[in-house]
């Protein structure tokens, strides 16, 4: 207790908290473009707060046209690459400005550009070059095109053999027996396609589940109960195959199946990698070639990488990066030289695609994966 007559204790005044600093916003891209479905706006921006920032993009244009849409963070392999619209926003009238606002206080403005911009080339003037690609080019032809361009323009190009080999035009062979998927340990081209498996009804009562291997033939004799009915579940068959034929194949459940269903007998089924290229197409890992183009190719200039096709079914995409070196080299002697690829200011590296993917896509109509 305070003593009578004692002065009252002095309270220390609270120091006001400093306001949190606003995040920094940078608009990387704001373009208005046309497709067959109409006109659209695309906006990309980054925040110093990273992917946790809450951003929105607002635009205004002629005639008082305006709108606002939320932006979503985009990360790749765990790295924050910025925010973008979840889908391009339909905007019929061309917007003039876009403002990106953050819930963290940051804001930025940018003028909206039309894409593509600039004058379109006159395709009727003498010297306009076209028809560099007139047919689908399989891996061998594309690699030869890279080498031929280097032979034709040695002062402008370097052929670069990339350090890592592809997996090769090869897959493990597979077969499916209801909820049981069997995959060869060897690639199909290295013996996996020679394997076969069958699930048989022993035709007797009280028989155990058995797996026998005779060379490249795997026979699974299913278990039966006292009445002769089959009792082997998918999980039991999987375990038995892995124990009895594990040196040749690996058995797994089909996708998310729990393996509790009873399997049915199945006839002798050949495993297959489902690859259909002619035998003269190599199955071995391949070396990928890239073509470096430029008047200066020593790393002292900003480079542009044209790259396509990692996915097996995207077989058309090699045309794009393979057209670029043709166009760059063929037009370098134009006046003035093209500033976007072969001038003294830049260099360009063009990698058409992986030979493995091109071959798979052009010769195989079935899906890449079986499980």
């Amino acid at each position: 207790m305070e003593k009578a007559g004692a002065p009252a204790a002095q309270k220390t005044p609270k120091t006001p908290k400093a306001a949190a600093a606003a995040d920094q916003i940078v608009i990387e891209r704001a373009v208005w473009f046309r497709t067959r479905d109409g006109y659209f706006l695309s906006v990309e921006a980054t925040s110093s707060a990273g992917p946790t920032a809450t951003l929105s993009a607002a635009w205004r244009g002629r005639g008082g046209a305006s709108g606002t849409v939320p932006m979503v963070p985009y990360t790749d392999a765990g790295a924050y690459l910025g925010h973008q619209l979840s889908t391009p926003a339909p905007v019929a009238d061309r917007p003039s400005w876009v403002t990106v606002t953050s819930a963290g206080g940051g804001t930025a403005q940018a003028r909206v550009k039309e894409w593509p911009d600039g004058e379109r080339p006159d395709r009727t003037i003498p010297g306009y070059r076209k028809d560099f690609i007139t047919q689908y080019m399989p891996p061998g032809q594309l690699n030869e095109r890279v080498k031929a361009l280097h032979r034709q323009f040695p002062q402008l190009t370097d052929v670069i053999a990339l350090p890592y080999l592809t997996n090769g035009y090869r897959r493990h062979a597979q077969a499916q027996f209801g909820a049981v998927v069997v995959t060869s340990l060897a690639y199909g081209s290295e013996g996996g396609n020679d394997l076969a498996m069958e699930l048989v009804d022993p035709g007797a009562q009280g028989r155990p589940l058995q797996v026998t291997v005779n060379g490249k033939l795997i026979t699974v004799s299913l278990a039966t109960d006292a009445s002769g009915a089959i009792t082997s579940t998918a999980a039991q068959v999987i375990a038995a195959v892995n124990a009895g034929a594990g040196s040749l194949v690996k058995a797994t459940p089909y996708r998310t199946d729990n393996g509790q269903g009873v399997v049915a007998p199945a006839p002798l089924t050949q495993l297959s990698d489902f690859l259909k290229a002619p035998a003269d197409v190599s199955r071995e890992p391949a070396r990928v070639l890239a073509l470096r183009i430029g008047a200066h190719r020593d790393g002292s200039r900003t480079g542009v990488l044209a790259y396509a096709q990692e996915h097996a079914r995207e077989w058309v995409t090699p045309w794009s990066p393979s057209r670029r070196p043709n166009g760059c080299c063929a037009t370098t002697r134009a006046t003035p030289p093209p500033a976007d690829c072969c001038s003294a200011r830049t260099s360009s590296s063009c990698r058409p695609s992986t030979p493995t993917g091109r071959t798979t896509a052009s010769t195989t109509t079935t899906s890449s994966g079986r499980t």
Side-chain angles (χ1 to χ4, degrees):
M1 294 181 61
E2 295 181 355
K3 294 182 179 180
Q10 298 293 320
K11 293 184 177 179
T12 303
K14 294 182 178 180
T15 303
K17 293 182 179 180
D23 54 341
Q24 300 297 310
I25 305 299
V26 176
I27 298 178
E28 308 287 353
R29 187 170 185 258
V31 295
W32 183 67
F33 61 95
R34 179 183 180 184
T35 73
R36 63 182 182 182
D37 297 319
Y39 287 91
F40 296 86
L41 173 69
S42 176
V43 181
E44 299 173 11
T46 57
S47 166
S48 60
T52 60
T54 301
L55 306 185
S56 61
W59 68 89
R60 62 183 187 275
R62 290 176 287 184
S66 63
T68 303
V69 290
M71 302 184 72
V72 296
Y74 175 57
T75 59
D76 185 21
Y80 170 63
L81 300 182
H83 279 66
Q84 60 187 15
L85 307 186
S86 57
T87 59
V91 180
D93 296 320
R94 177 176 177 175
S96 302
W97 289 88
V98 65
T99 301
V100 174
T101 303
S102 169
T107 185
Q109 286 188 328
R111 184 178 293 277
V112 177
K113 297 181 179 180
E114 185 175 1
W115 183 87
D117 58 357
E119 296 184 2
R120 307 298 191 268
D122 183 354
R123 301 185 180 187
T124 64
I125 62 174
Y128 182 82
R129 305 294 296 271
K130 62 178 183 177
D131 296 333
F132 300 114
I133 306 295
T134 59
Q135 66 178 61
Y136 171 75
M137 301 175 70
Q141 291 182 356
L142 269 177
N143 290 344
E144 181 53 38
R145 176 64 64 88
V146 168
K147 298 174 184 178
L149 280 169
H150 176 59
R151 291 193 296 267
Q152 186 177 2
F153 302 98
Q155 76 283 8
L156 287 173
T157 63
D158 293 321
V159 175
I160 302 172
L162 299 189
Y164 299 108
L165 298 176
T166 70
N167 182 68
Y169 177 65
R170 56 187 183 177
R171 289 199 293 240
H172 296 276
Q174 291 185 311
Q176 183 178 346
F177 303 86
V180 178
V181 176
V182 177
T183 304
S184 65
L185 299 187
Y187 286 107
S189 55
E190 298 175 0
N193 289 337
D194 300 328
L195 300 175
M197 191 171 97
E198 60 183 347
L199 275 59
V200 300
D201 183 343
Q205 302 172 349
R207 301 303 296 270
L209 174 62
Q210 291 183 324
V211 175
T212 59
V213 177
N214 182 12
K216 298 176 181 179
L217 170 62
I218 302 170
T219 299
V220 179
S221 180
L222 302 173
T224 59
D225 61 15
S227 66
I230 293 174
T231 60
S232 296
T233 65
Q236 291 170 339
V237 170
I238 289 169
V241 169
N242 287 335
S247 62
L248 297 176
V249 297
K250 179 181 180 180
T252 55
Y254 177 72
R255 296 186 178 177
T256 59
D257 189 271
N258 61 16
Q260 298 308 304
V262 175
V263 300
L268 185 66
T269 302
Q270 198 81 22
L271 275 66
S272 174
D273 60 10
F274 301 95
L275 296 178
K276 301 179 181 179
D280 61 347
V281 174
S282 174
R283 268 62 176 172
E284 296 302 313
R287 181 75 64 186
V288 179
L289 300 181
L291 191 67
R292 190 170 190 178
I293 309 169
H296 297 270
R297 303 183 301 282
D298 56 2
S300 62
R301 300 296 191 271
T302 300
V304 178
L305 174 66
Y307 168 84
Q309 174 161 353
E310 194 63 41
H311 195 288
R313 284 176 287 279
E314 296 172 0
W315 61 271
V316 176
T317 51
W319 291 4
S320 176
S322 60
R323 285 180 59 199
R324 181 179 179 87
N326 281 271
C328 284
C329 293
T331 58
T332 296
R333 295 169 184 166
T335 304
D340 65 331
C341 55
C342 291
S343 71
R345 294 183 297 169
T346 63
S347 66
S348 175
S349 295
C350 301
R351 172 187 163 181
S353 64
T354 63
T356 300
R358 293 201 307 272
T359 306
T360 302
S362 62
T363 59
T364 306
T365 57
T366 53
S367 65
S368 295
R370 291 286 150 181
T371 60

